[in-house]
Each structure stands twice: as structure tokens, then as C-alpha cells.
Amino acid sequence: MQTAFGLAGLPLSAGGMALLLFCIAGVATIAALARKEMREDLKRRAVLLDEASALFDNPSIKVGSDGYPRLEGTSNGNRVSLEIVPDSLVPRRLPQLWLKLTMLTNGDASRPSIGVLARPVGTEFYSRVLGLPDTVTPSFKADFPLLMRGKGVSEAALRRTSALFHTLFADPALKEAVITPRGTGLVRQIAEGDRGAHILYRQMRFPMAQVSSDIVRNALAELRLLDEALEPAQSGTIA
């Protein structure tokens, strides 16, 4: 008759053997539940942009390795892309879920780049503003820190965009707005992570079934306003 041994090499009693088998079964059950929950979470992520896809011509959705979708299509003849960006690098805050929008247009290739990032902390890996070389002082105030950066920004460009940026950033969900020669971009907060999942399990779970088509429709209008804000670049650059 074989004798079961514990981790210390000592023989196990019948009760100890039963406890060991119970613990093994418990761990296996928890692992199976975690895998099931992950599969369900990936399914929920994959459809986040399904509702928004109806706003575009020739929509195409691709799901990344992290389970989050990317939507590409055309709107009013312009190419538009939407990305879902999960972010757990925000200091002293719950994880954030961002919607990153890009609209490519046939704008003037000579116009400057200019953008604003709200509440900058330096960890915004998704930011386009942080990639611009020159810091510009905004001519408007907000109740939170703003970082304005650009390339080839003229006094005229600053005047023409300041009122629009001021209006857009009255919405606390807006994280970034940028104008470049190739088009315009926005980053918006669409959800905040579940507190319990983050504190107990260090997981990012977001209570969202779909990105509302209203959010995307309004963002498209904002992208068009940004695209129309600048005339061709003029002389007298300040950065």
C-alpha cells in the first residue's frame, strides 16, 4: 500500500489527504472560472464599437491581441479610425478606457500642428501632443492643467484655435485634441475601471457594453470643427 506524502515529505493522514485533494479541486475550480471570465470579457470587448460602425461608410472592425477593437471607415469622404485604449498608468486613479479618434483629411499640407492635452502626467502613451516638439502657452484658462504643444505655430493659428480649444475642453471627458497637416485627432474618456476588480485583483474591468453612437457622432463633429479651424500657415511663427 502506498503512503501519500505532504510537501515536507511526511506521510499524510486520511484527513490530510482529503484536505489536500479539496485544496487542489478548489484551485482548479478557481482557475476554470478565471478562464471562463476572461473568455467572456474578451467577447464583451470585441463588440464595443459595433454600434458606432453604423455611422460610417465601408466600416471595418479588427480586434487586437488584447481583445479591444479598432474601427476604420469613411465619414463625409474622410478616412476615420477609432481605437479603444485601456490605460492603467494613471497615477492615483482607477484605470481609464479611452476612445482615440483620427480623421485624415485633404487639408493644407503647410498648416501647422497644434494640440492640447488635459491633465498631463507624462504617461500618456497614446498622446500625439506629447510627440510635438514645441511648447506653446495657451491663451485661455481652465480649471485643470493643460499642455499645449505644436510645430510651426503662428500667432494667427493660435488666435484661430484658442476659442475652439477652450470650448472643447469645457467637457471634462476630453483628454486631447490635436490638429496636424494630415488631419485631426481626439482622445476621450469613455469609462473608468471597476474599483473592486482593480483593488482586489489588479485587473482592468470596465462597465461598458457599447460605445454610444451619440458619443462618436459628436466626436466626428468636433473633428470637423478642428479641421476647419486653421487657414494655411502664415508667417510670424512663435514656436
Side-chain angles (χ1 to χ4, degrees):
M1 177 178 178
Q2 288 186 324
T3 301
F5 290 87
L7 295 177
L10 300 176
L12 286 173
S13 65
M17 185 64 177
L19 178 61
L20 177 60
L21 292 174
F22 177 78
C23 292
I24 293 173
V27 171
T29 299
I30 292 172
L33 289 173
R35 288 193 296 269
K36 179 182 178 182
E37 186 173 332
M38 177 56 71
R39 289 194 297 269
E40 292 175 349
D41 191 37
L42 289 173
K43 290 179 181 178
R44 288 192 293 267
R45 295 179 189 181
V47 300
L48 281 170
L49 293 176
D50 282 11
E51 180 180 324
S53 66
L55 299 176
F56 298 92
D57 298 322
N58 305 312
S60 172
I61 295 179
K62 296 180 180 179
V63 178
S65 59
D66 60 358
Y68 287 102
R70 177 188 176 105
L71 168 62
E72 294 185 348
T74 57
S75 174
N76 292 333
N78 298 315
R79 291 172 54 198
V80 180
S81 68
L82 283 69
E83 301 174 60
I84 303 291
V85 182
D87 176 15
S88 61
L89 300 179
V90 185
R92 298 182 299 278
R93 289 189 65 188
L94 294 173
Q96 302 294 305
L97 196 64
W98 306 108
L99 179 64
K100 183 177 182 179
L101 304 101
T102 305
M103 184 172 72
L104 300 180
T105 66
N106 296 319
D108 193 314
S110 66
R111 77 180 179 186
S113 295
I114 184 170
V116 177
L117 176 66
R119 305 174 188 86
V121 295
T123 61
E124 291 91 352
F125 58 91
Y126 48 81
S127 172
R128 286 164 285 214
V129 169
L130 291 180
L132 296 175
D134 305 313
T135 300
V136 181
T137 302
S139 61
F140 61 93
K141 302 294 183 182
D143 296 331
F144 45 84
L146 295 171
L147 174 66
M148 177 178 277
R149 303 198 69 167
K151 181 179 180 181
V153 179
S154 66
E155 292 283 0
L158 187 59
R159 285 194 303 271
R160 289 188 59 83
T161 57
S162 287
L164 177 57
F165 282 134
H166 190 199
T167 300
L168 292 177
F169 282 95
D171 181 354
L174 184 63
K175 178 66 172 175
E176 180 176 83
V178 63
I179 304 168
T180 75
R182 297 188 61 207
T184 57
L186 291 172
V187 176
R188 286 192 155 278
Q189 181 204 49
I190 52 174
E192 189 167 69
D194 176 78
R195 181 177 294 276
H198 178 62
I199 292 176
L200 295 177
Y201 307 111
R202 308 308 296 175
Q203 294 180 351
M204 289 191 291
R205 296 181 188 169
F206 300 99
M208 169 172 277
Q210 287 282 325
V211 177
S212 165
S213 58
D214 288 338
I215 290 176
V216 177
R217 188 180 292 108
N218 291 337
L220 290 172
E222 292 169 342
L223 288 170
R224 288 191 288 271
L225 287 174
L226 287 166
D227 189 58
E228 296 166 358
L230 283 181
E231 294 178 343
Q234 301 176 26
S235 60
T237 58
I238 62 173

